[in-house]
Amino acid sequence: MMPDDSRLRGHGVQTGNGGAVAASLVVSRRELLGGIGGTLATAMLSGRARAASSPSKRLTAETRILDVNGRAARVFGLTGPDGRPGLRLTAGERFRVDLANETGGRTLVHWHGQLPPWMQDGFPWPQTPPIADGAVQAYDYPPISGTYWMHSHHDMQEQNLLTAPLIVDDAATPREDRQDIVLMLHDFTFRSPDEVLAGLTGSSVADAHASALRTEGAGGGDAGRARSAGMAMPAKMNTSNAPAPAMKGMDMTGGAMTGMDLNDVQYDAFLANDRTLRDPEIVRVDRGGRVRLRIINGAASSQFWIDLGDLTGRVVATDGHAVQPVPGKLFPIAMAQRLDILIDLPAAGAFPVLARLEGSVRQTGIILASKGAHVSRMADGTQTAPAVDNSLEARLAAVKPLSARAPDVVHSIALGGAMKPYAWSLNGEFWPHVTPLMLSKGQRVEVELVNPTMMAHPIHLHGHVFQVVAIDGRTLNGAMRDTVLVSPGGRVRFAFDADNPGRWALHCHNLYHMETGMMTEFRYQGIAA
Ligand SMILES: [Cu+2]
């Protein structure tokens, strides 16, 4: 069942397995009662106390008409109380949101990268079904600060732009002398997601599963071929740090690899803040000013290189979490990931910030322009961008890493699938027919993602922040993240503390991979299915 309003509002109602809900209530009480004294606690837990705290923000899931290169498209949107996409919360503000569903159908919105109690995660578990058309669902949890985003986890609405930024300021934000600019990327097609999916599978998802299981064994396609060619496919509890075996026919030196699959879907346009390069957003900036770019890759199945052109920037956060600054002009961003980049602008001028599609000359972006600067027209590029890789990931180091601790449990997860049949799996299983990976509160968990396929997969874990601790067998004290890319033939290990009991999805954020089965569940002991 869905937690009802009273549970989420902090009236102290317990759910059957809602330890995390209770924890958030404790925070709420402390906030409400700061300076008043604990003895009044019971009396204060009332509507009056609630009214004294910040009011709910209304977020509306709706449809809208978008102009894409002169052609109208009906898409979804998530509009905040100020009429702009998404939400911005100030430091210390709770995520207290009334989500109004005006989409004309059911929906459910996931707060990507945030750490709410599991029943507020916006994932369609049996206990938390989608919201009916016309209904309003309340959410209330303490958010974590940084660059996040929100998107539907119901049907294929996310492909139709039911996505928006979710920015949470930290205590230092108001004191920083810099302009905050959000850049959200999308891939766009006039075809419906159903048409796109049918084009990929050639038939139906069920047929693709059957074909994969029949011809290649569970996991299917290239994974099956790789296995039959004798490649390592660790099953469980593989703690080896040996590098992943290179796949035949791969050229690791040229940036792009021979035979590697990029860009499953051919898109009609790439959007930056809902606009194409033909009519880009021009953001007015101060001469010589400092800018914090918050880049969100909200694309369904496209990855980009952020190209700062004449500018130099410093990556200072990944997926909302601070990293030791890494300078550069060109930064890869996988699906669902975020990059915060600080830029000190030169005296004056117009500066395109481009997102270049991997394996393509196509691009999108915004233009930072000082007053009076001439802005010239832009089109697609002339040079093909290389495949997005983990070159940046390998250089990242968290400002606040996990404490040093040996894992209590290691889960090895094999990524499987291919373009033909188009069916993608985890550990040889297709969602929803999966065996949950169990964990217990208090454990340090490590996950080894092993990718023998010919594609890169951006893997996202719900409800937890993890640290990247090894790439292709090389250990590092890497970034804190919620989404990590696993390169073709590569492997990535991440670690996290099991501190948020519930049911949590782990999946590929290439939405068509997810749609054909590339998803599984982490489930805490004691949480009912
Ligand atoms: Cu994938």
Side-chain angles (χ1 to χ4, degrees):
M1 92 239 102
M2 192 68 192
D4 63 24
D5 186 67
S6 64
R7 278 192 194 114
L8 300 184
R9 292 295 191 188
H11 288 263
V13 179
Q14 279 284 353
T15 61
N17 42 26
V21 173
S24 76
L25 293 175
V26 171
V27 173
S28 172
R29 285 170 202 181
R30 273 200 216 110
E31 280 179 4
L32 291 172
L33 301 171
I36 294 174
T39 51
L40 292 174
T42 310
M44 285 298 291
L45 281 173
S46 66
R48 265 186 306 124
R50 206 181 99 204
S53 61
S54 61
S56 290
K57 284 188 155 75
R58 191 174 178 89
L59 179 70
T60 308
E62 58 194 353
T63 59
R64 61 197 171 118
I65 303 294
L66 200 62
D67 179 289
V68 182
N69 291 336
R71 188 172 158 192
R74 189 172 189 82
V75 299
F76 291 113
L78 278 158
T79 306
D82 57 358
R84 295 157 63 93
L87 291 170
R88 178 154 207 143
L89 305 181
T90 53
E93 182 181 355
R94 282 180 73 83
F95 185 97
R96 192 171 279 138
V97 169
D98 289 337
L99 171 60
N101 179 9
E102 298 177 9
T103 60
R106 301 205 300 168
T107 195
L108 197 57
V109 175
H110 166 58
W111 323 109
H112 187 116
Q114 288 286 313
L115 313 175
W118 75 280
M119 290 175 85
Q120 297 192 54
D121 187 47
F123 187 88
W125 299 110
Q127 297 94 332
T128 56
I131 306 164
D133 184 35
V136 178
Q137 175 73 53
Y139 297 83
D140 189 357
Y141 66 83
I144 53 173
S145 62
T147 303
Y148 296 89
W149 62 303
M150 54 179 86
H151 60 79
S152 173
H153 233 299
H154 175 67
D155 285 349
M156 289 194 279
Q157 293 173 333
E158 185 183 352
Q159 282 90 324
N160 269 341
L161 273 52
L162 215 162
T163 69
L166 169 54
I167 310 298
V168 184
D169 287 340
D170 62 31
T173 305
R175 296 196 303 271
E176 288 173 9
D177 181 21
R178 48 109 185 98
Q179 185 176 353
D180 208 284
I181 299 170
V182 176
L183 167 52
M184 188 157 193
L185 302 167
H186 286 114
D187 41 22
F188 176 83
T189 170
F190 287 99
R191 288 175 294 160
S192 73
D194 288 316
E195 285 175 84
V196 172
L197 183 61
L200 288 166
T201 60
S203 51
S204 68
V205 172
D207 285 349
H209 288 174
S211 174
L213 292 165
R214 196 167 52 242
T215 60
E216 308 281 0
D222 291 332
R225 275 191 289 282
R227 212 167 5 198
S228 61
M231 282 185 56
M233 292 280 287
K236 285 212 158 53
M237 299 298 288
N238 183 327
T239 55
S240 158
N241 273 333
M247 289 190 68
K248 244 196 280 184
M250 279 187 180
D251 169 20
M252 302 293 287
T253 58
M257 295 189 291
T258 314
M260 182 175 164
D261 296 314
L262 300 175
N263 301 324
D264 295 9
V265 180
Q266 293 302 306
Y267 285 96
D268 294 316
F270 295 92
L271 309 179
N273 294 343
D274 289 340
R275 295 161 77 156
T276 68
L277 260 194
R278 264 201 229 175
D279 175 32
E281 181 180 10
I282 296 166
V283 181
R284 189 62 66 207
V285 293
D286 290 336
R287 295 164 181 235
R290 174 172 285 189
V291 157
R292 185 186 189 110
L293 267 179
R294 297 176 182 269
I295 303 170
I296 304 166
N297 185 358
S301 68
S302 303
Q303 314 201 108
F304 304 93
W305 289 86
I306 302 303
D307 188 341
L308 300 182
D310 293 338
L311 301 173
T312 299
R314 284 170 288 154
V315 169
V316 294
T318 54
D319 295 354
H321 304 277
V323 291
Q324 305 295 346
V326 175
K329 291 172 168 298
L330 206 55
F331 302 102
I333 185 164
M335 290 157 226
Q337 289 184 332
R338 285 88 64 212
L339 286 178
D340 284 27
I341 302 177
L342 280 187
I343 302 172
D344 289 317
L345 297 167
F351 307 99
V353 172
L354 297 176
R356 298 169 58 194
L357 179 68
E358 64 172 337
S360 171
V361 297
R362 304 185 70 186
Q363 58 192 19
T364 186
I366 58 174
I367 311 219
L368 311 182
S370 57
K371 197 173 177 193
H374 174 73
V375 178
S376 36
R377 282 185 81 85
M378 297 206 62
D380 280 339
T382 51
Q383 286 196 315
T384 299
V388 160
D389 59 20
N390 273 330
S391 54
L392 173 63
E393 198 70 52
R395 299 174 65 196
L396 295 174
V399 167
K400 291 181 186 161
L402 291 180
S403 62
R405 180 177 164 187
D408 300 300
V409 57
V410 179
H411 287 289
S412 184
I413 300 178
L415 285 50
M419 292 300 288
K420 229 176 176 50
Y422 194 87
W424 300 90
S425 60
L426 292 175
N427 278 342
E429 296 177 325
F430 299 110
W431 180 267
H433 308 290
V434 303
T435 311
L437 301 163
M438 302 303 293
L439 65 173
S440 300
K441 188 166 191 228
Q443 286 181 327
R444 168 66 57 85
V445 183
E446 289 195 4
V447 175
E448 178 93 354
L449 299 162
V450 183
N451 180 16
T453 80
M454 301 298 279
M455 280 206 82
H457 301 280
I459 302 296
H460 170 49
L461 174 63
H462 286 224
H464 300 78
V465 186
F466 59 73
Q467 186 178 17
V468 179
V469 296
I471 300 174
D472 297 335
R474 200 175 70 82
T475 57
L476 70 161
N477 198 7
M480 301 297 290
R481 281 200 176 277
D482 54 61
T483 307
V484 68
L485 188 71
V486 194
S487 298
R491 60 166 71 184
V492 166
R493 180 179 288 237
F494 65 73
F496 67 94
D497 286 321
D499 53 8
N500 198 359
R503 306 182 70 177
W504 299 103
L506 175 112
H507 62 87
C508 181
H509 226 285
N510 182 318
L511 298 182
Y512 293 99
H513 293 189
M514 181 178 78
E515 197 63 31
T516 61
M518 203 168 203
M519 178 150 65
T520 191
E521 175 187 358
F522 272 99
R523 187 189 302 164
Y524 280 66
Q525 297 287 352
I527 301 289

